Amino acid sequence: MQLRSLMTIGVLAALADPAFAGVLTGQCLDSDGHPVKSALLVFKSNDGNGPPTVLGGSTDAQGYFTTTITPDGDYEMNVMPLAPPASVVVTRRIESVLVGPSTNHLGVIEMELGCDVTGRVINSSGTPLQQVQLDYVAGPDQQPLDFTNPDSDVAGRFRVAVPFGSVELRFEPGIVPYYGGPGTAGWSNTWIFSGPVDLGDIVLPDGFTATGKVVAAADGSAVEDAEVNAFDRAAGKWIFVAKNRTDATGAFSVVLPIGTFDLQIVPDQADQLSPKTIANKKLPPALSLGTIRLDEGFEVTGRVRDSSHNKLEGARVDVYDSATGAAIPLANPFTDASGDWLAILPSGTFDFVLSASFDQPFGSVTLEDVVITDETDLNDVQLPDVPFFTLEGFGTPGRGGFIPSITGDGGTPRLGNLDFCALLDQARGGTWAMVTVWTVTPPGSGLGSFSRGGGGLSADPGHSTFFVLIDGPRGAAGQGSGRLQLPIDALPELVGVELRVRFEVHDPAARGGFAKSRTLLATISE
């Protein structure tokens, strides 16, 4: 009895001690200013600790939360809104939230409104797949985000909210005994979403296992938590590989579709080991790679700055073999809050491409034929300015005297930015608009006009005209809005091309029956 009393006193003292717990407060609102109610708040320690104890881990009817976290520390915070049809608000991740003795008032957390996306997952025989887990990749950091309702149901159906623009949906088969076990591979695809859509049947490919064990070449010790990635040689792209990390013994077992792959083993930076590529491996049959030995690598460091020499967080570092052009995988290809980056590489000659994320108004720089034979610092690299867009000309008013407003969105107009789009606001509600898209090519380029093709801007002659629906209350002056996606493919011939966009909104109150926006100008860069 005395022991129990002492234990109880100790627990109460620990809970009362502000060093062991902390409070977060705030309010979640969607991008239209409406409360995000009943959203779950999920926390993951950035300090390497286990899951915390959370009290008050959801928002109330007005989007407010008062959440107690035990223990205190630095946490990643994920706000998980209600799933469709209750909500089309998308998941929001905050990378670092500090929990300590004093209450941390987070203020208003703005949540993005997205698209209601449905579909059904089946295998190659047409059997619906239950408990296929979905997540998605979007935005500049390209880190996967979870859905509130991530699993397909007994009929293989799923329903999720995704952001507008370019989104990669990833499908990970459920575990045995559910359909889609080791005989079905994971799969992903990138769509450009501009509104609600049913994707129909998603057919996951037949899968075959590839197994192996990763060790350090120097002492044979197991390499835990190394990534196993796969490059599809026929498709010329990286594919999604589910459950692709080594365990505590260095072992891995991944399921891949039929094909020929280059497999890349990417250790954690802390292991100070070089990544390794195992080329030209064909499946089926199942593949045993045996023991894979990783050599010690060299630290290569550098810093990325903007055009004013400020530290640039979130810039991407890509490394290629100068002789073959093959990509060299990095455990962390992004700069930190100080603009610093670190890569572990073998000896050799490499090209380094340093580029800002699309949501930053800067471009990219390439360092060619860099020889690495020891620890190397590549010093500061300054990225050039890349404007988002400019406007020219004059619009014409519609109902209520409102001139339709046009802006660019989705980041800078750079190669590979599939999220670039034109947004319309202050238009007549509940109508339609005609959108003209045309370009001016650089003098002496020998290129003709460009237009938007099915997947992005392409070298088709002439300008293009599109029709988009304008939302908002029907006939309401200045309350309508719309968008046109203008994905920019990674085509080198697009560099220097000037993109021009103008909306003409059907409006009987306007002169000639159409209220016109100004013209948006954006010059495509690397």
Side-chain angles (χ1 to χ4, degrees):
M1 182 69 71
Q2 183 179 5
L3 177 60
R4 178 178 294 180
S5 298
L6 290 172
M7 290 177 63
T8 302
I9 292 171
V11 169
L12 291 175
L15 291 176
D17 189 335
F20 287 86
V23 177
L24 300 174
T25 64
Q27 184 186 27
C28 296
L29 301 177
D30 68 25
S31 49
D32 284 343
H34 300 133
V36 179
K37 64 179 182 179
S38 302
L40 293 177
L41 308 179
V42 180
F43 297 88
K44 177 182 177 183
S45 174
N46 289 327
D47 300 323
N49 299 321
T53 299
V54 179
L55 299 176
S58 62
T59 59
D60 65 17
Q62 297 303 314
Y64 288 102
F65 60 89
T66 299
T67 305
T68 302
I69 311 290
T70 307
D72 56 9
D74 183 12
Y75 289 92
E76 172 189 285
M77 175 179 172
N78 289 272
V79 184
M80 313 289 289
L82 293 173
S87 167
V88 290
V89 177
V90 300
T91 302
R92 169 79 187 272
R93 174 179 293 161
I94 302 173
E95 296 291 344
S96 179
V97 172
L98 296 179
V99 177
S102 301
T103 298
N104 188 350
H105 302 285
L106 300 180
V108 173
I109 298 174
E110 183 174 327
M111 307 284 291
E112 182 181 358
L113 288 168
C115 310
D116 185 355
V117 175
T118 58
R120 185 177 74 141
V121 190
I122 61 176
N123 65 14
S124 60
S125 299
T127 303
L129 300 183
Q130 177 185 358
Q131 289 201 347
V132 173
Q133 184 173 357
L134 283 75
D135 64 15
Y136 71 96
V137 177
D141 63 0
Q142 293 295 291
Q143 297 300 306
L145 287 163
D146 295 326
F147 292 111
T148 305
N149 56 336
D151 296 336
S152 59
D153 63 19
V154 293
R157 297 290 303 178
F158 63 88
R159 187 171 189 176
V160 294
V162 304
F164 288 100
S166 174
V167 178
E168 178 190 3
L169 285 182
R170 311 195 310 180
F171 299 82
E172 179 178 322
I175 60 174
V176 178
Y178 298 103
Y179 290 121
T184 303
W187 184 78
S188 73
N189 189 57
T190 299
W191 285 270
I192 298 173
F193 294 107
S194 58
V197 64
D198 189 320
L199 298 177
D201 283 347
I202 304 296
V203 182
L204 299 192
D206 295 336
F208 302 87
T209 57
T211 60
K213 182 176 181 179
V214 182
V215 302
D219 58 9
S221 59
V223 179
E224 184 179 2
D225 208 33
E227 285 189 10
V228 181
N229 299 320
F231 182 81
D232 187 324
R233 294 172 68 93
K237 65 178 184 179
W238 298 98
I239 66 168
F240 168 59
V241 181
K243 300 179 178 68
N244 67 332
R245 291 187 178 271
T246 57
D247 63 18
T249 70
F252 66 87
S253 178
V254 295
V255 181
L256 301 175
I258 296 171
T260 301
F261 302 95
D262 294 340
L263 301 179
Q264 288 192 335
I265 313 299
V266 188
D268 187 270
Q269 286 182 339
D271 294 324
Q272 296 287 295
L273 298 171
S274 294
K276 189 166 190 174
T277 299
I278 305 167
N280 204 28
K281 294 299 180 180
K282 185 177 181 180
L283 291 96
L287 183 65
S288 176
L289 298 171
T291 300
I292 301 165
R293 293 175 171 81
L294 302 185
D295 295 320
E296 292 184 4
F298 301 111
E299 283 195 0
V300 182
T301 56
R303 291 156 298 282
V304 178
R305 302 289 185 258
D306 65 20
S307 57
S308 300
H309 301 283
N310 298 312
K311 302 169 184 177
L312 197 59
E313 181 179 6
R316 185 178 177 91
V317 181
D318 291 292
V319 184
Y320 302 90
D321 185 295
S322 296
T324 66
I328 307 298
L330 302 182
N332 179 12
F334 298 100
T335 58
D336 63 17
S338 297
D340 297 344
W341 59 271
L342 166 67
I344 308 297
L345 298 175
S347 59
T349 304
F350 304 99
D351 296 339
F352 293 79
V353 180
L354 302 101
S355 52
S357 61
F358 290 134
D359 64 347
Q360 299 169 326
F362 310 104
S364 64
V365 168
T366 300
L367 307 177
E368 297 182 340
D369 298 324
V370 178
V371 178
I372 303 298
T373 58
D374 202 343
E375 292 188 1
T376 304
D377 185 79
L378 297 183
N379 302 314
D380 291 3
V381 172
Q382 186 177 354
L383 302 185
D385 288 327
V386 174
F388 286 105
F389 65 92
T390 57
L391 299 175
E392 74 170 15
F394 300 93
T396 58
R399 176 167 293 185
F402 288 96
I403 297 175
S405 170
I406 184 172
T407 57
D409 196 33
T412 48
R414 288 170 46 206
L415 297 185
N417 184 4
L418 302 182
D419 288 336
F420 189 74
C421 66
L423 296 183
L424 176 73
D425 203 2
Q426 286 190 184
R428 174 177 175 253
T431 183
W432 56 273
M434 180 171 61
V435 192
T436 304
V437 180
W438 71 103
T439 60
V440 176
T441 57
S445 67
L447 299 174
S449 297
F450 281 69
S451 65
R452 197 189 80 157
L457 296 176
S458 60
D460 298 326
H463 68 267
S464 297
T465 301
F466 303 90
F467 295 90
V468 299
L469 295 177
I470 306 302
D471 62 15
R474 185 175 180 83
Q479 296 186 41
S481 60
R483 71 166 59 211
L484 178 68
Q485 292 293 143
L486 294 165
I488 303 173
D489 289 330
L491 301 174
E493 61 265 31
L494 290 174
V495 173
V497 169
E498 183 183 75
L499 177 67
R500 296 173 176 239
V501 187
R502 185 181 64 205
F503 284 87
E504 298 183 33
V505 181
H506 181 248
D507 188 339
R511 185 176 183 180
F514 288 91
K516 299 179 181 179
S517 72
R518 299 179 70 188
T519 299
L520 179 146
L521 285 73
T523 300
I524 299 173
S525 64
E526 293 185 83

